[in-house]
Structure formats: structure tokens, C-alpha cells
Amino acid sequence: MATTRSAHTVWEGNLLEGKGVVSFDSSGAIAEQPVTWASRAQDANGKTSPEELIAAAHSSCFSMALSHALAGDGKPPTKLLTSADVTFQPGEGITGIHITVEGTVPGLDEEGFVAAAEKAKVNCPVSQALKAVPITLSAKLA
């Protein structure tokens, strides 16, 4: 069964001096988050950005995809620590995403873990949605 998740942003003012608030409508699990151009193109200063939100979505989706694939191969992970770094270049847009994952997977060697992580990188639904952007990966066992 398909699901739809929703968020909305209220923006006030122009791009450079304006500000906005992102609301997470579907779950309400995350408090409203402020966003500004400066928080996107310079220092975060306690505010989020579209790229940080993409990084959160990508790291969680990748973790789910890798966990599922490993369990399907009979090697369920004990722990996966995944981070995603989304690079934004003003005037160009999102220029790359780098995923880093460290896993604890009993009975799996480094080569097997890296291979599974590469497959998850390609097959995770967020990776699929973002495939116009170069996605790189660093994967290792803990």
C-alpha cells in the first residue's frame, strides 16, 4: 500500500534576507524548523536547510535498505551507523552526496559488507529519487 508523507514551509521575504519555517505535517515528530538562505549557503547557525533534510532522509533510507538486504542474505546487522553529506554550491545546486556507513554484522567480512552497501546505495528509494546527483560511498565494518 502506498503512503504519502507531507511537510510544508511558510516563507516570508526575499531570498537573501527572508526566513522560513518548515513543518512536518505527517508525523509531527519533528518540531518546526527555521530555515534561511544564510543557513543554506553559509553557516547553519541553529537553522536547517533543504540539504540537511535530504541528508536525514537519505541516511535513514539507506540504513533501512542495507539492513533489509543483509537480513535477506542471512546476515542481519547488529548496528549500522550511517551519515549522509549533501553538498550545495550556490549557483549550481546540489553537487554531490556522500554516504558513510560503519556496520556491525556478525559473520560477514569486509568485502561482503562493502558489496551489500554498494547495492543499497543504488537501490534505496531515496538514492533512486536523487540519481541525477553523484552519490559516493564509504563503507566498513566496525
Side-chain angles (χ1 to χ4, degrees), residues 53-63 84 97 99 124 126-127 130 135:
L53 298 171
I54 290 169
H58 207 169
S59 67
S60 60
C61 182
F62 175 89
S63 293
I97 300 169
I99 298 170
C124 128
V126 172
S127 291
L130 300 173
I135 301 170

Side-chain angles (χ1 to χ4, degrees), residues 52-130:
E52 183 177 41
L53 298 171
I54 290 169
H58 207 169
S59 67
S60 60
C61 182
F62 175 89
S63 293
M64 290 180 201
L66 180 54
S67 174
H68 180 68
L70 290 168
D73 288 341
K75 307 277 189 211
T78 303
K79 182 177 182 179
L80 298 173
L81 175 60
T82 305
S83 63
D85 299 309
V86 177
T87 302
F88 174 73
Q89 178 64 46
E92 290 182 48
I94 296 173
T95 58
I97 300 169
H98 185 74
I99 298 170
T100 303
V101 62
E102 182 175 86
T104 304
V105 187
L108 188 64
D109 64 13
E110 191 86 21
E111 184 179 335
F113 182 71
V114 170
E118 285 288 347
K119 286 181 187 175
K121 179 189 86 166
V122 172
N123 295 321
C124 128
V126 172
S127 291
Q128 288 291 311
L130 300 173

Side-chain angles (χ1 to χ4, degrees), residues 9 20-24 30-35 46-49 52-53:
T9 300
V21 176
V22 179
S23 297
F24 299 84
I30 302 171
E32 290 183 337
Q33 296 296 310
V35 61
K47 298 173 182 71
T48 194
S49 69
E52 183 177 41
L53 298 171

Side-chain angles (χ1 to χ4, degrees), residues 5-18:
R5 301 292 185 248
S6 302
H8 76 273
T9 300
V10 176
W11 186 267
E12 298 173 343
N14 65 33
L15 175 63
L16 297 179
E17 298 160 3

